[in-house]
């Protein structure tokens, strides 16, 4: 058995298989059979084949009706193989022998009905041959300007124009006298004679508008003539005043274009009638052989009268006269050229009525009577075309244009209008608020829909408009300038303080309970309802964050669009803790921003415009992380641990701004934002490990501060960076001088990631000698107001650092307490003095922490002493001092005196406390309390 060919075998293999098959002599798997009859198959196999072996259809019984004629496939004149046509055979005889049925030739013949066809009599002439076709002189003169048209085509076009001016339905044929023996036409009957209204110079010879089209050919002319006679009879029965009154009523109801068409048709008929009458006057009697008789309109005489009474409309003044040689200008339609006219003069405002506000392409409010040139692109063909500028309604309409450039232009103008409105440029020149009007009109969701556009230009302008709507530049500048103030790093939610739907009962509820009760409703409310009370909540409900992430991650927009997106995200993060959490948890959003705009290595970037912000550090991206971290301790911990901010902070802070290979301003702002982010983390007790790594960098930066302060004039960005550095040192000092319990805030979410500070007091104790000279240098500028304003927040930051330093220093013990607590004090007078100063409040831990710790240690050792060799006076004094301690109203002092354990200089109080008293001391206190209850407090 032969195998089948396999993939990869060549033509040589196939030939080898063929030779094997032929050598074997096996029967083929398929046998080819040639059919003789193509159409009938084996139906007529029992019939003897014809001599010429051709396909012949044999019909036994000829039907009475011929078969239906259907289109048959075309026959191809290709002889069958093996049946060549003999050369000596007659083709006619072969055709006759082949087509043996009569239906192959004859079909059903139906004669066309010509009873209703008009018969045009030939025009008799006195010449034997037709007139010779000659060119007219007018055509000869215009042949030079006829373009590429031939002489024959020009003559035919002129003849068609002449025919169009004549009667359109019938032909007026002069009759120059019938020959002898011919039958003459009948004289016109009164039905065919012209009718004339009383007091009118026009006659109505037949119907003009009613032609009977659509009826049968025999009834069409009769019905049209009957309707015409009824109309004439009704007009003859009316008085001329009634005719004019009805005419005025019809003119008021009909379309002016229709009236103009009817009047032009009437004039054409008049001219045709006059031409025909002039041609008939030289000859003898004539007869009109027409299909329809010409007609004059019932109000054909009225246009002339109206033209006399009413002044004609002024001619259309076009800036350019159309020429027939122009493309598509062979027929000039003046009504379509009105837009080319000059604009009408601007209407001056005569009263104090309000007019629609119009804006320029830069968002400027234009005066109602301002007259600007048209080349500025501020004139259009909407309402009030003479006024320059675009209204808000027109801009909204333009945002739905099919042309992407128009959509982008409309969004750009709206963004400029919003920016100027937020800057207060419009003032009281507008009635109402532009922002409220736009939000009520759905501008917020128009921007959201525009973000889903496919055109990058439309997306960029939509993001720009969204930034103009949400972000107030003045607010961000003020918040940045106050960062180094007291508690300036703390943020407050920028969200609406109250809702319109709140009533008196809801105002009295607890805020936490109200929030819990309203949260399910807010989740189920649609975005338009949320946006009506809170714009940012409405935007977050429309999947804004994933769309912004897509734009950053996939489309790679330009620098301006990237900065706009980051500004919008900063505003969303400032809204509330919930919004900041949603920004942080948006899939791949913060990861994309950190990877693309905060790299650890980048190519040097020179001064000037940057073509792309990708793979280049961006200060705005660092500011976004700082604002997110300011929202809460938990967010700050997640940022530091999940996005490798440690390496990025070290990379940026370790070098001076001049060495970052970035534009000078961008480098200063990037260093400032990095220091601020670290300061926010340090306020939570986080980021202490960075202090140990970057301690030499911070010391070098502090040493350079006096030289930068002496620069004239001081650079504002450098002053902001110095103030941020001092704020960072302030937070590190407070973290080093506080216990882990004090670094934990009262918020519930803050306790999730509370970590003790890794910075100790010894690491920050050497900062004060470097900061004090800076404060002295800035205080010398008080007498120079311009320099004092230039240094900005530096003096405030210096004062806040020194305050935090001395506060933490007051809690530290410079020497070991064991030197003063061992051995225990045995001088009764000194012990009583210690106890008296503690009880009366003359000695407090904040005023003198060392003496306070020494006094507490000696008093505690004395009242719990069990020395049996003590005198009765000492025993009585010990018992009395213990009784008074147990009855103290100051719970803190009572806790220190009773639960003192060991001295410890690392703690703020300077000593450790028992969490629970030892059994001996507890038993001793129980005996003492029973004695006090029985005998009272003894006096010492």
């Amino acid at each position: 058995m032969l195998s089948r060919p396999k993939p990869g075998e060549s033509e040589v293999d196939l030939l080898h298989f063929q030779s094997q098959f032929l050598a074997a002599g096996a029967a083929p798997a398929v046998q080819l059979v040639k059919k003789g009859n193509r159409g009938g198959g084996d139906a007529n196999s029992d019939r003897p084949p014809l001599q010429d072996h051709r396909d012949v259809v044999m019909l036994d019984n000829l039907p009475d009706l011929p078969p239906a004629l259907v289109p048959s496939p075309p026959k191809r004149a290709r002889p069958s193989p093996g049946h060549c046509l003999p050369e000596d055979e007659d083709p006619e005889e072969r055709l006759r022998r082949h087509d043996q049925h009569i239906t192959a030739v004859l079909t059903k013949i139906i004669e066309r009905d010509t009873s209703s066809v008009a018969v045009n009599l030939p025009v008799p002439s006195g010449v034997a041959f037709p007139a010779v076709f000659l060119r007219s002189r007018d055509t000869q003169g215009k042949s030079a300007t006829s373009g590429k048209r031939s002489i024959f085509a020009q003559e035919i076009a002129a003849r068609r124009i002449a025919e169009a001016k004549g009667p359109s339905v019938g032909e007026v044929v002069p009759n120059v006298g019938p020959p002898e023996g011919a039958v003459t036409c009948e004289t016109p009957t009164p039905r065919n004679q012209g009718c004339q209204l009383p007091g009118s110079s026009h006659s109505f010879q037949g119907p003009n508008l009613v032609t009977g089209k659509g009826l049968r050919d025999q009834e069409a002319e009769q019905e049209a003539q009957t309707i015409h006679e009824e109309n004439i009879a009704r007009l003859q029965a009316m008085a001329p005043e009634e005719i004019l009154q009805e005419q005025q009523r019809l003119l008021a109801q009909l379309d002016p274009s229709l009236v103009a068409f009817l009047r032009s048709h009437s004039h054409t008929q008049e001219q045709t009638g006059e031409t025909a009458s002039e041609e008939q006057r030289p000859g003898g009697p004539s007869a009109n052989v027409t299909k329809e008789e010409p007609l004059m309109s019932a109000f054909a005489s009225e246009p002339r009268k109206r033209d006399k009474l009413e002044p004609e409309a002024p001619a259309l003044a076009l800036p350019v006269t159309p020429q027939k040689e122009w493309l598509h200008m062979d027929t000039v339609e003046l009504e379509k050229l009105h837009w080319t006219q000059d604009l009408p003069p601007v209407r001056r405002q005569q009263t104090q009525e309000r007019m629609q506000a119009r804006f320029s392409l830069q968002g400027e409010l234009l005066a109602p009577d301002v007259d600007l040139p048209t080349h500025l692109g501020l004139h259009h063909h909407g309402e009030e075309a003479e006024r320059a500028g675009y209204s808000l309604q027109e801009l909204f309409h333009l945002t739905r244009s099919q042309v992407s450039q128009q959509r982008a232009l409309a969004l750009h103008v709206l963004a400029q209008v919003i920016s100027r409105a937020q800057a207060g440029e419009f003032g009281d020149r507008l009635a109402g608020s532009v922002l409220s009007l736009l939000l009520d009109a759905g501008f917020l969701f128009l921007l959201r829909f525009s973000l889903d556009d496919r055109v990058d230009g439309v997306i960029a302008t939509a993001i720009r408009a969204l930034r103009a709507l949400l972000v107030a530049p003045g607010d961000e500048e003020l918040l940045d300038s106050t960062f180094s103030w007291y508690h300036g790093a703390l943020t407050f939610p920028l969200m609406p303080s109250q809702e319109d739907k709140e009533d008196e009962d809801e105002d009295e509820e607890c805020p936490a309970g109200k929030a819990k009760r309203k949260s399910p409703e807010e989740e189920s409310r649609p975005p338009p309802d949320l946006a009506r009370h809170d714009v940012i909540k409405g935007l977050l409900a429309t999947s804004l964050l994933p769309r912004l992430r897509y734009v950053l991650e996939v489309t790679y927009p330009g620098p301006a669009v990237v900065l706009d997106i980051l500004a919008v995200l900063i505003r969303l993060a400032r809204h509330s803790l919930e919004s900041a959490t949603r920004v942080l948890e948006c899939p791949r959003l913060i990861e994309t921003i950190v990877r693309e705009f905060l790299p650890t290595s980048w190519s040097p970037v020179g001064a000037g415009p940057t073509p792309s912000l990708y793979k280049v550090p961006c200060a705005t991206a660092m500011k976004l992380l700082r604002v997110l971290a300011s929202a809460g301790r938990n967010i700050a911990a997640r940022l530091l641990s999940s996005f490798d901010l440690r390496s990025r902070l070290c990379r940026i802070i370790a070098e001076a701004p001049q060495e970052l290979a970035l534009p000078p301003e961008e480098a200063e702002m990037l260093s400032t934002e990095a220091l601020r982010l670290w300061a926010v983390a340090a306020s939570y007790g986080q980021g202490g490990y960075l202090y140990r790594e970057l301690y030499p960098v911070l010391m070098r930066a502090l040493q350079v501060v006096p030289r930068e302060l002496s620069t004239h004039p001081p650079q504002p960005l450098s002053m902001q960076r110095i103030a941020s550095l001092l704020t960072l040192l302030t937070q590190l000092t407070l973290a080093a001088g506080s216990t882990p319990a004090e670094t934990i805030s009262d918020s519930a979410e803050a306790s999730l990631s509370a970590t003790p500070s890794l910075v100790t007091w010894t690491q920050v104790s050497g900062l004060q000698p470097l900061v004090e000279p800076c404060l002295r240098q800035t205080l010398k500028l008080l007498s120079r107001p311009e320099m004092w304003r230039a240094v900005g927040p530096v003096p405030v930051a210096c004062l806040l650092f020194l305050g935090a330093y001395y506060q933490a220093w007051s809690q530290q013990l410079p020497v070991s307490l064991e030197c003063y607590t061992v051995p225990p004090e045995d001088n009764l007078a000194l012990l009583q003095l210690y106890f008296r100063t503690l009880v009366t409040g003359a000695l407090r831990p904040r005023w003198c922490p060392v003496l306070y710790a020494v006094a507490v240690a000696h008093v505690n050792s004395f009242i719990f002493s069990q020395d049996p060799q003590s005198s009765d006076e000492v025993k009585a004094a010990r018992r009395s001092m213990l009784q008074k301690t147990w009855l103290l109203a100051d719970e803190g002092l009572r806790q220190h005196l009773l639960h003192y354990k060991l001295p410890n200089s690392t703690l703020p109080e300077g000593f450790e406390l028992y969490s629970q008293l030892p059994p001996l001391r507890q038993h001793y206190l129980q005996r003492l309390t029973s004695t006090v209850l029985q005998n009272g407090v003894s006096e010492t």
Side-chain angles (χ1 to χ4, degrees), residues 330-590:
D330 48 353
T331 302
V332 180
E333 300 178 77
L334 298 179
E335 63 274 6
K336 295 183 179 180
L337 298 177
H338 277 287
W339 64 273
T340 62
Q341 287 183 291
D342 292 336
L343 292 174
V346 180
R347 179 170 56 89
R348 302 293 177 181
Q349 188 176 5
Q350 303 294 337
T351 61
Q352 297 296 329
E353 62 180 1
R354 296 176 179 176
M355 300 186 69
Q356 194 174 26
R358 293 188 174 274
F359 304 90
S360 67
L361 298 181
Q362 289 73 34
E364 301 171 347
L365 180 63
L366 300 178
D369 55 351
V370 65
D371 190 5
L372 297 176
T374 56
H375 69 270
L376 297 179
L378 299 177
H379 295 82
H380 50 90
H381 311 299
E383 300 177 356
E384 301 177 336
E386 69 277 3
R387 291 187 58 195
Y390 292 84
S391 64
L392 294 179
Q393 181 180 1
E394 292 165 352
L395 290 173
F396 264 75
H397 181 73
L398 202 60
T399 56
R400 300 190 297 272
S401 172
Q402 296 293 334
V403 183
S404 60
Q405 291 84 351
Q406 292 182 350
R407 298 197 301 271
L409 176 64
L411 292 173
H412 169 73
V413 176
L414 288 173
Q416 295 292 332
V417 170
I418 293 174
S419 299
R420 295 180 182 275
Q422 292 210 1
E425 291 188 11
F426 300 147
D428 55 353
R429 298 164 60 189
L430 294 177
S433 173
V434 175
L435 297 179
S436 300
L437 182 62
L438 290 175
L439 292 177
D440 293 341
F443 179 66
L444 189 67
F445 297 98
L446 174 64
L447 294 180
R448 181 61 188 89
F449 298 151
S450 300
L451 288 178
D452 296 333
D453 203 291
R454 297 181 178 180
V455 183
D456 293 341
V458 177
I459 297 176
T461 51
I463 293 175
R464 167 66 65 174
L466 186 63
R467 175 181 181 175
L469 181 64
L470 298 181
V471 182
D475 294 349
E476 290 297 327
E477 292 178 3
L478 291 176
L479 289 173
D480 291 342
S481 62
T482 58
F483 180 84
S484 298
W485 291 8
Y486 183 67
H487 290 320
L490 302 179
T491 59
F492 52 91
L494 298 179
M495 57 187 302
S497 58
Q498 58 183 359
E499 297 184 357
D500 297 336
K501 288 187 176 182
E502 290 182 354
D503 51 13
E504 295 180 358
D505 296 336
E506 291 179 346
D507 292 338
E508 295 177 358
E509 293 183 2
C510 176
K514 184 164 51 177
K516 292 180 181 180
R517 184 177 58 83
K518 286 190 175 184
S519 57
E521 297 181 3
E522 291 181 355
E523 294 178 358
S524 61
R525 289 168 62 183
D529 293 345
L530 290 174
R532 190 175 296 111
H533 305 291
D534 195 328
V535 173
I536 292 182
K537 282 187 177 181
L539 279 175
L540 291 176
T542 60
S543 302
L544 174 66
L545 295 176
R547 182 58 182 173
L548 295 179
R549 189 266 311 160
Y550 174 83
V551 173
L552 289 176
E553 187 180 20
V554 178
T555 63
Y556 285 83
V561 181
V562 171
L563 295 178
D564 292 340
I565 293 177
L566 294 177
V568 171
L569 293 177
I570 289 173
R571 179 61 184 88
L572 296 180
R574 290 191 185 276
H575 176 264
S576 61
L577 177 61
E578 177 187 1
S579 300
T581 304
R582 295 186 64 174
V583 172
L584 177 66
E585 295 179 350
C586 180
R588 303 196 310 276
L589 176 59
I590 302 300

Side-chain angles (χ1 to χ4, degrees), residues 824-866:
E825 184 63 45
D826 55 357
N827 188 344
L828 183 60
L830 184 57
L831 289 172
Q832 291 177 346
L833 180 61
Y834 282 157
F835 184 75
R836 191 179 302 111
T837 55
L838 291 173
V839 172
T840 58
L843 182 60
R844 295 181 179 275
R846 298 294 181 184
W847 296 349
C848 190
V850 177
L851 184 57
Y852 179 84
V854 171
V856 169
H858 287 301
V859 171
N860 176 268
S861 176
F862 175 70
I863 60 178
F864 285 104
S865 176
Q866 301 295 329

Side-chain angles (χ1 to χ4, degrees), residues 811-940:
Q811 300 176 4
Q812 307 302 319
L813 298 178
V815 294
S816 178
L817 283 178
E818 284 80 359
C819 300
Y820 302 97
T821 58
V822 178
E825 184 63 45
D826 55 357
N827 188 344
L828 183 60
L830 184 57
L831 289 172
Q832 291 177 346
L833 180 61
Y834 282 157
F835 184 75
R836 191 179 302 111
T837 55
L838 291 173
V839 172
T840 58
L843 182 60
R844 295 181 179 275
R846 298 294 181 184
W847 296 349
C848 190
V850 177
L851 184 57
Y852 179 84
V854 171
V856 169
H858 287 301
V859 171
N860 176 268
S861 176
F862 175 70
I863 60 178
F864 285 104
S865 176
Q866 301 295 329
D867 186 7
Q869 299 180 359
S870 300
S871 60
D872 296 337
E873 181 182 4
V874 172
K875 292 181 180 180
R878 180 186 300 116
R879 189 182 302 108
S880 175
M881 195 177 297
L882 184 57
Q883 292 174 353
K884 292 180 180 180
T885 302
W886 186 72
L887 298 175
L888 278 174
D890 189 352
E891 185 63 26
L893 179 60
R894 178 174 176 272
Q895 188 80 1
H896 290 171
L897 291 176
L898 293 179
H899 291 75
Y900 174 85
K901 181 179 181 182
L902 291 173
N904 188 349
S905 58
T906 61
L907 298 178
E909 295 84 0
F911 49 83
E912 297 180 9
L913 297 176
Y914 283 111
S915 58
Q916 186 176 2
L917 285 177
L920 292 178
R921 293 190 177 187
Q922 192 172 3
H923 180 67
Y924 183 69
L925 281 177
Q926 290 177 356
R927 288 190 305 165
L928 179 65
T929 53
S930 61
T931 304
V932 171
L933 292 176
Q934 293 178 1
N935 303 329
V937 181
S938 60
E939 296 181 0
T940 57

Side-chain angles (χ1 to χ4, degrees), residues 664-864:
E665 295 185 358
E666 184 69 19
E668 289 283 355
M669 291 188 295
L670 182 63
S671 298
T672 302
E673 292 299 334
L675 293 172
R676 289 175 177 175
L677 174 59
W678 188 7
V680 172
S683 65
Y684 301 135
Q686 304 170 4
Y689 49 85
L690 291 174
Y691 183 74
R692 294 195 300 267
E693 297 178 5
L694 299 177
Y695 181 81
V697 176
L698 298 179
M699 294 300 102
R700 185 171 61 252
L702 274 179
Q703 295 172 359
V704 180
V705 168
R707 185 176 60 190
E708 294 184 355
L709 291 175
S710 60
T711 305
H712 184 77
Q715 300 297 325
L717 295 179
S718 299
M719 298 300 105
Q720 291 286 345
R721 177 175 52 82
I722 294 172
S724 301
L725 173 62
L726 294 172
T727 303
L728 168 63
L729 298 178
T730 301
Q731 298 298 334
L732 291 173
T733 303
L734 290 176
S738 61
T739 60
E742 292 179 352
T743 61
I744 301 177
S745 61
D746 296 334
S747 61
E749 65 94 20
S751 61
L752 296 176
S753 58
T755 55
S757 175
L758 301 179
V759 183
T760 61
W761 172 252
T762 56
Q763 294 174 338
V764 299
S765 58
L767 299 176
Q768 180 262 345
L770 298 176
V771 177
E772 279 191 0
C774 300
L775 178 60
R776 296 191 185 97
Q777 186 175 354
T778 55
L779 293 179
K780 294 178 181 179
L781 301 176
L782 279 174
S783 58
R784 303 166 60 183
E786 68 282 355
M787 294 294 295
W788 176 259
R789 286 192 298 268
V791 295
V794 175
V796 178
C798 292
L799 288 173
L800 291 176
F801 169 79
L802 293 178
Y805 177 84
Y806 287 117
Q807 176 184 353
W809 178 80
S810 64
Q811 300 176 4
Q812 307 302 319
L813 298 178
V815 294
S816 178
L817 283 178
E818 284 80 359
C819 300
Y820 302 97
T821 58
V822 178
E825 184 63 45
D826 55 357
N827 188 344
L828 183 60
L830 184 57
L831 289 172
Q832 291 177 346
L833 180 61
Y834 282 157
F835 184 75
R836 191 179 302 111
T837 55
L838 291 173
V839 172
T840 58
L843 182 60
R844 295 181 179 275
R846 298 294 181 184
W847 296 349
C848 190
V850 177
L851 184 57
Y852 179 84
V854 171
V856 169
H858 287 301
V859 171
N860 176 268
S861 176
F862 175 70
I863 60 178
F864 285 104

